[in-house]
Amino acid sequence: MAHQVIAANGGADLPAKLTGQVLVCSIIAAFGGLMFGYDIGISGGVTSMDEFLKKFFPDVYVKKHHVKEDNYCKFDDQILQLFTSSLYLAAVVSSFAASKCCNNYGRKITIQLASFFFLVGVVLNAAAKNIAMLITGRLMLGAGIGFGNQAVPLFISEIAPNKYRGGLNVCFQLLVTVGILAANIVNYFTASHPYGWRISLGGASVPALFLAFGSLLIVETPTSLIERGHPERGLATLRKIRGVEDVQKEFDEIVNTTELAKQIKHPFKNLMKRSSWPQLITSGVLQIFQQFTGINVIMFYAPVLFQTMGFHSDASLLSAVVTGTINTMATLVAVFCVDKLGRRFLLIEAAIQMFIAQVVTGGILAAFLKSTNVLPKQYAYLVLLLICVFVSGFAWSWGPLGWLIPSEIFPLETRTAGFFCAVSMNMIFTFIIAQAFLTMLCHMRAMIFFFFSGWIVIMGLYAYALLPETKGVSIDEMNEKVWKKHWLWKRCFKNESEQSREDKP
Ligand code: BGC
């Protein structure tokens, strides 16, 4: 999810009003985020609906209702998992094309293409007659996510006045969680309808249509216009979106930034240099860790998981609404605390909280959920509570910070390329979890929770020992003030002669 704000300059206080144009852009970003969140949240509920399973996955339907079927293996089906995961694979592939489209043709057209892909995907899904239509629809939605997530954040960061940029960043994650919650609620109400799954999948058309119409109204960003050789139009647009005449200073800054960026012929090669390792490694492992918390097991498969624990369909979907609500509320904590308490505090605190929740959940399931029994009610509710504890910890830490930190630690010359790598890494690992979880659940059973808690220990230790605090540091001073002062990462900045002297025996 490339919804992070890639700031083009530091915190310079440039004259600007929060104009109608900027607000329209925020609304468009909101619908891009809602769209993404809706797609994350919808598949779990749909894949637990009987009518959907009967039509597309009759074997899973039979397994699910077969009393003797192993609790942990009811939903283990590669194609069923492919329904969820294919979207993320398409998102990885399409974001390469999207980044080229963004540079060569602009942000606006990239957003328009995103909404086009979304709409085609929604129609194919809601009207699906066979698996091929279903999976093709998911691939189109994935292409929409790839295009949207690459362009929308860039668009917001270029259009928002500096002082609103940081707030918009975490707020976008907030809207992703609202999208997940909306999907959970829609699933809850449509589940008993014979065409419930069509309504649920078709519901994505609401944010997609808003995005499609919204993208007709927006302007191209000044940066993109200047970058593509239209400086006069860039200046005029800047005046329009800032609502003030005096935009020369910001205009000059954008011209300088784009000139500088043009000189970097091979940003990816730059990214491989030793001095880029600290940021590259940090942003990469944060994405892996974010996914190995196990969060998407809950986001994608909560209803399936709750059914595994013996909840009825309705109760399972309602439980997903509960976890979705907690996810949204807890993200608000991040909005208010991230600049006060700092990144490391939230990450370490949440790692402890998530670890306890996962270990106790694993313990309860190992002790009380055998192959064919039903988990005693009181334990099922306790597990629901523990999952809420886990989700809230994630939502105020590894969720938003997994995106915020990569967006603020790269120097300008590698920022876009570095961030692009982080996004792709996230999508790849989201795909892996989506594709593998139900099979892992079947083979590892309750141990799967210990597997994730093991990862949580590693990520907690990483945050404690290797992650420097970036709170309050201007993004253009990160190297000097953060990385070059860190006990380990400073070694990557030694100049070559110093390094070779040290390397000699
Ligand atoms: C993650 C998603 C996850 C969502 C849950 C995001 O930060 O990247 O994979 O589904 O949080 O709220």
Side-chain angles (χ1 to χ4, degrees), residues 156-176:
I156 304 170
S157 74
E158 290 172 350
I159 217 132
N162 273 342
K163 60 178 173 179
Y164 298 104
R165 199 176 272 148
L168 279 169
N169 191 322
V170 179
C171 284
F172 198 92
Q173 164 80 8
L174 189 65
L175 284 152
V176 173

Side-chain angles (χ1 to χ4, degrees), residues 14 17 58 132 160 181 206 311 426 498:
L14 301 164
K17 289 181 191 160
L181 178 60
V206 177
F311 281 43
N426 187 282
E498 220 180 298

Side-chain angles (χ1 to χ4, degrees), residues 44 66 102 106 119 143-144 244 256 263 277 295 308 325-326 337 362 389-390 394 407 413-414 416 421 441 490 497:
H66 199 292
C102 238
L119 285 172
V244 291
N256 285 343
Q263 284 165 23
W277 291 359
I295 186 65
T308 300
T325 309
I326 298 285
C337 294
V389 170
F390 166 78
F394 175 87
S407 79
E413 61 268 25
T414 49
T416 329
C421 289
L441 181 67
K490 68 179 178 197
S497 55

Side-chain angles (χ1 to χ4, degrees), residues 80-132:
L80 185 67
Q81 295 180 88
L82 194 63
F83 168 74
T84 301
S85 69
S86 50
L87 188 149
Y88 301 92
L89 202 56
V92 178
V93 177
S94 68
S95 50
F96 280 93
S99 65
K100 290 268 170 267
C101 182
C102 238
N103 278 345
N104 299 339
Y105 306 104
R107 302 11 172 173
K108 181 171 168 158
I109 186 103
T110 314
I111 294 176
Q112 285 170 338
L113 281 171
S115 58
F116 170 76
F117 289 133
F118 277 142
L119 285 172
V120 176
V122 173
V123 171
L124 282 173
N125 266 189
K129 288 197 164 24
N130 47 44
I131 296 223

Side-chain angles (χ1 to χ4, degrees), residues 1 40 173 177 180 290-291 296 299 327 394 399 403 426:
M1 175 177 36
I40 293 175
Q173 164 80 8
T177 66
I180 299 175
Q290 190 202 54
Q291 291 306 313
N296 279 327
M299 294 301 134
N327 191 22
F394 175 87
W403 295 106
N426 187 282

Side-chain angles (χ1 to χ4, degrees), residues 1 7 70 77 128 175 206 220 278 299 314 316 325 376 378 401 410 417 427 453 499 501:
M1 175 177 36
D70 190 321
D77 185 288
L175 284 152
V206 177
E220 182 53 278
M299 294 301 134
D314 263 18
S316 297
T325 309
Q378 68 274 28
L401 297 181
F410 285 97
M427 292 294 156
S453 53
Q499 190 62 47
R501 231 180 299 133

